[in-house]
Amino acid sequence: GAVVSQHPSWVICKSGTSVKIECRSLDFQATTMFWYRQFPKQSLMLMATSNEGSKATYEQGVEKDKFLINHASLTLSTLTVTSAHPEDSSFYICSAARQGAWGNQPQHFGDGTRLSIL
Amino acid sequence: SQKIEQNSEALNIQEGKTATLTCNYTNYSPAYLQWYRQDPGRGPVFLLLIRENEKEKRKERLKVTFDTTLKQSLFHITASQPADSATYLCALGDAGNMLTFGGGTRLMVKP
């Protein structure tokens, strides 16, 4: 299989706190990882694409200084929500694509992180 | 702009029947299309992928069709079971592994 582990599964913290979310591919190497945000009853919205060893590519409207992404190895990417505010509360999901795979490949998703900012 | 439409209303069917979900798109020429299942509070799970040059793909009780002229994909679940109840997402992909997701359709299979 292709297992992606995301941690933590939920976070509740005060406004102004920075929160780090980890995404790990457990049984495969992932050249590319993706970070999504999902609001209730809405679709997944791509925030950024994370490539191992290089800077992330952010989608239009996503603040790169607000959502820091690091992809230090082929099995780990992290998303840090800096100085989080209530409007950042959402469901954040990561996914990973296998190393060497290019195009026509499924993405393997973590189980998401529910972030609640008080 | 690109637009992917899935029926936002829930689809309610009786156990044993065939569920058919629709995914329509505009202003897009995808290299492939994928279907995912998402349960509440969980990440999506990959089900099927169909490429632009394929008309139909099957996997066990699942069948996907892809009509690039109509710009539409149909997703069928035959002999549906209550355990099939979930939200089903279609996603269009380009050659670079980038996916754009539809809003999903919630399927409810009643025993």
Side-chain angles (χ1 to χ4, degrees):
Chain A
V3 180
V4 174
S5 174
Q6 191 171 337
H7 179 81
S9 56
W10 58 273
V11 180
I12 302 174
C13 58
K14 293 181 180 180
S15 184
T17 306
S18 291
V19 178
K20 179 186 281 188
I21 303 170
E22 291 188 349
C23 180
R24 294 180 185 272
S25 56
L26 298 185
D27 54 358
F28 68 100
Q29 292 186 323
T31 309
T32 306
M33 289 185 172
F34 304 87
W35 287 95
Y36 296 85
R37 184 172 179 174
Q38 187 176 34
F39 291 104
K41 297 185 179 181
Q42 293 190 24
S43 185
L44 282 75
M45 299 300 297
L46 180 65
M47 299 174 64
T49 303
S50 168
N51 294 295
E52 186 266 337
S54 64
K55 291 183 179 180
T57 302
Y58 290 82
E59 294 300 299
Q60 190 173 11
V62 178
E63 301 175 56
K64 61 180 181 181
D65 295 330
K66 174 76 170 176
F67 299 99
L68 300 179
I69 291 173
N70 183 276
H71 193 158
S73 76
L74 287 171
T75 59
L76 174 65
S77 177
T78 60
L79 167 68
T80 301
V81 184
T82 61
S83 187
H85 292 284
E87 59 267 27
D88 298 322
S89 299
S90 188
F91 191 50
Y92 293 87
I93 312 176
C94 72
S95 71
R98 288 182 181 273
Q99 180 186 24
W102 189 251
N104 297 335
Q105 297 296 325
Q107 292 183 15
H108 305 285
F109 286 83
D111 265 342
T113 297
R114 175 75 57 194
L115 176 62
S116 296
I117 308 298
L118 304 177
Chain B
S1 61
Q2 298 170 356
K3 196 172 182 181
I4 303 171
E5 290 185 339
Q6 292 185 257
N7 194 339
S8 58
E9 293 182 10
L11 176 63
N12 295 291
I13 65 168
Q14 204 66 35
E15 182 177 8
K17 300 292 185 182
T18 296
T20 299
L21 286 70
T22 305
C23 177
N24 295 298
Y25 60 93
T26 56
N27 297 324
Y28 204 110
S29 295
Y32 58 98
L33 187 148
Q34 300 182 12
W35 283 88
Y36 289 79
R37 168 184 173 142
Q38 186 175 25
D39 291 285
R42 305 293 297 273
V45 174
F46 170 75
L47 296 175
L48 279 170
L49 180 153
I50 187 166
R51 295 178 174 81
E52 60 178 335
N53 60 349
E54 297 175 317
K55 297 292 185 184
E56 181 179 299
K57 192 69 89 60
R58 290 175 185 261
K59 179 182 177 183
E60 298 174 351
R61 293 186 296 113
L62 309 180
K63 185 179 83 171
V64 172
T65 63
F66 193 11
D67 189 325
T68 55
T69 301
L70 290 178
K71 295 186 182 296
Q72 180 182 78
S73 174
L74 299 178
F75 177 77
H76 306 273
I77 306 175
T78 58
S80 59
Q81 304 165 1
D84 295 326
S85 299
T87 295
Y88 291 86
L89 305 168
C90 76
L92 275 59
D94 62 17
N97 262 345
M98 302 290 290
L99 290 179
T100 303
F101 282 85
T105 297
R106 193 161 67 96
L107 172 66
M108 297 288 292
V109 181
K110 298 181 179 179

